[in-house]
Amino acid sequence: MPVNLKGRSFLTLKDFTPEEIRYLLDLSRDLKAKKRAGIKGELLRRKNIVLIFDKASTRTRCSFECACWDEGGNATFLTNSQMGKKESVEDTAKVLGRMYDGIQYRGFSQKLVEDLARFSGVPVWNGLTDEDHPTQILADLLTIEERTAKPLSKCKLVYCGDARNNMGNALMIGCAKMGMSFVALAPKELWPNEKLTAEMKAVAAKTGGSIEFYSIEDADKALKGADALYTDVWVSMGEEAKFEERIKQLEKYRVTMDFMRRTGNPDCLFLHCLPAFHDTETDVGKDILKKHGLKEMEVEDAVFRHKNSVVFDEAENRLHTIKAVMVATIGDL
Ligand code: CP
Ligand code: NVA
């Protein structure tokens, strides 16, 4: 059966089959080549999209806006709306669904993005919640495919750090779906929740993937043979009070040149969804240096700037993959 995603929301990769994810990755590649060739598209012509951000963003917002413009659509960045203050999510969704062809939401609860999809009647795209970050995973998978000689199903990805945050969950889901080996190297209390893990282990059993968790005592086992090391911030948006606790829990889990060497793979890639604390060139970085004496948090600057670091490819691929999601769900393909 040919893949057809018209009218579908994109809330989590759990809702998508491996064939559908493959389709989105192939479409992303095609759209990337098209943009590189300087071809202006019309696949979103006369489509209106609205972007709601209850949390900060650089890549996700810019990707949605640029992707929309590249294909001839119109984007509204909605600030200071009534939603949740004077108007319910249900009523807001019904209003937006009358005006827009698609809605992007970034915020806290997964239920909110699900409710927008339920009540608006138009595709809703999850631009990050506390639980999930599915558009990021498409960009990560595309980047690994572009930079690795093997198929995804032969790749081992090791996620180091806070493995129960949105990125830990979303990577576990994406890897399981694509038959990859997913390893979380994290303290036990920061492993993904048991329900999601059981669901994804069942998916991996079907796709030929695997899911394993290790803590620092078994780092050699976890790192050996990795094709990609991945990390994310130790404190996600909305958890800012947790810096001290997380630094204590995660200091040994920083991605270092030593970790890279222990993979035994000189071509091992380094990935990070960004933004990253790899130096003290940010307000938070300066504050952490002052309060905790750390110049780097989740990744060493040397790893971040290493030739195997593909973090800016990932960032660019947000554009192409988000474009693919919009084109597939509301576009004139
Ligand atoms: N990776 C990511 O989602 O970046 P932003 O927070 O800048 O959108
Ligand atoms: N876990 C991070 C991801 C940022 C893209 C956060 O939620 O802040």
Side-chain angles (χ1 to χ4, degrees):
M1 268 251 293
V3 170
N4 180 357
L5 302 180
K6 281 282 138 55
R8 291 265 300 273
S9 282
F10 189 81
L11 306 180
T12 169
L13 283 179
K14 280 195 268 180
D15 297 341
F16 289 79
T17 65
E19 294 70 31
E20 288 168 341
I21 298 171
R22 166 55 40 216
Y23 169 84
L24 287 169
L25 293 174
D26 291 346
L27 181 58
S28 306
R29 253 175 211 273
D30 292 348
L31 292 166
K32 183 171 183 174
K34 179 178 169 183
K35 185 168 168 81
R36 291 267 163 101
I39 302 166
K40 182 89 188 132
E42 297 224 307
L43 296 170
L44 298 172
R45 196 167 68 93
R46 297 175 64 85
K47 303 291 183 201
N48 300 329
I49 67 162
V50 62
L51 310 175
I52 309 171
F53 283 83
D54 284 340
K55 287 180 178 171
S57 169
T58 299
R59 279 144 289 270
T60 309
R61 174 190 175 171
C62 297
S63 296
F64 270 98
E65 291 199 14
C66 290
C68 181
W69 297 327
D70 278 352
E71 288 296 333
N74 309 296
T76 302
F77 183 71
L78 187 61
T79 51
N80 203 21
S81 81
Q82 311 276 17
M83 187 172 79
K85 296 169 227 151
K86 280 170 63 187
E87 191 162 36
S88 66
V89 172
E90 176 176 349
D91 293 358
T92 307
K94 286 175 177 166
V95 171
L96 296 176
R98 301 276 181 125
M99 298 181 192
Y100 290 95
D101 300 286
I103 301 169
Q104 185 283 163
Y105 178 75
R106 165 175 286 200
F108 297 86
S109 90
Q110 186 74 13
K111 182 173 181 306
L112 200 155
V113 81
E114 286 166 3
D115 283 348
L116 282 174
R118 182 162 156 227
F119 295 115
S120 67
V122 296
V124 171
W125 310 299
N126 179 358
L128 178 147
T129 60
D130 288 345
E131 275 177 41
D132 212 327
H133 196 6
T135 62
Q136 177 69 49
I137 305 311
L138 291 181
D140 300 337
L141 296 177
L142 181 65
T143 307
I144 294 170
E145 273 195 335
E146 287 174 340
R147 299 291 296 258
T148 314
K150 315 185 219 180
L152 284 178
S153 59
K154 296 265 183 293
C155 289
K156 171 175 174 179
L157 181 145
V158 182
Y159 178 86
C160 308
D162 180 5
R164 44 93 269 167
N165 75 4
N166 40 23
M167 283 308 308
N169 291 341
L171 280 166
M172 179 168 72
I173 298 166
C175 291
K177 289 277 178 174
M178 300 317 278
M180 296 167 68
S181 158
F182 173 82
V183 171
L185 177 56
K188 207 163 187 176
E189 62 275 21
L190 296 178
W191 290 358
N193 79 56
E194 282 173 18
K195 183 167 172 282
L196 181 65
T197 302
E199 271 175 55
M200 289 309 116
K201 281 195 170 166
V203 170
K206 286 199 192 126
T207 60
S210 61
I211 293 174
E212 291 170 278
F213 303 146
Y214 295 99
S215 45
I216 200 68
E217 304 75 48
D218 293 313
D220 279 325
K221 228 193 237 170
L223 295 167
K224 185 100 194 116
D227 297 288
L229 297 192
Y230 201 118
T231 191
D232 181 19
V233 289
W234 290 344
V235 173
S236 288
M237 288 181 276
E239 297 185 317
E240 285 73 12
K242 299 227 169 215
F243 270 111
E244 192 166 345
E245 178 187 334
R246 288 287 159 70
I247 287 170
K248 279 196 197 122
Q249 288 171 307
L250 289 170
E251 229 189 313
K252 292 188 181 138
Y253 292 83
R254 174 178 304 116
V255 178
T256 56
M257 285 307 299
D258 181 51
F259 270 23
M260 292 289 273
R261 275 189 288 273
R262 285 158 79 183
T263 65
N265 175 9
D267 297 322
C268 181
L269 301 174
F270 171 70
L271 288 95
H272 191 309
C273 54
L274 305 183
F277 292 114
H278 60 96
D279 59 21
T280 52
E281 295 300 312
T282 60
D283 293 346
V284 176
K286 285 184 177 60
D287 196 45
I288 294 295
L289 176 64
K290 210 161 97 193
K291 288 195 184 128
H292 304 281
L294 293 182
K295 287 195 173 144
E296 298 148 329
M297 279 195 274
E298 70 274 11
V299 57
E300 267 181 8
D301 197 47
V303 174
F304 188 86
R305 295 179 192 277
H306 192 268
K307 66 177 175 45
N308 293 6
S309 169
V310 291
V311 295
F312 296 110
D313 294 293
E314 281 176 274
E316 179 193 333
N317 283 338
R318 299 297 308 286
L319 167 68
H320 309 300
T321 45
I322 280 173
K323 192 184 284 175
V325 169
M326 289 197 286
V327 164
T329 54
I330 65 166
D332 299 317
L333 256 192

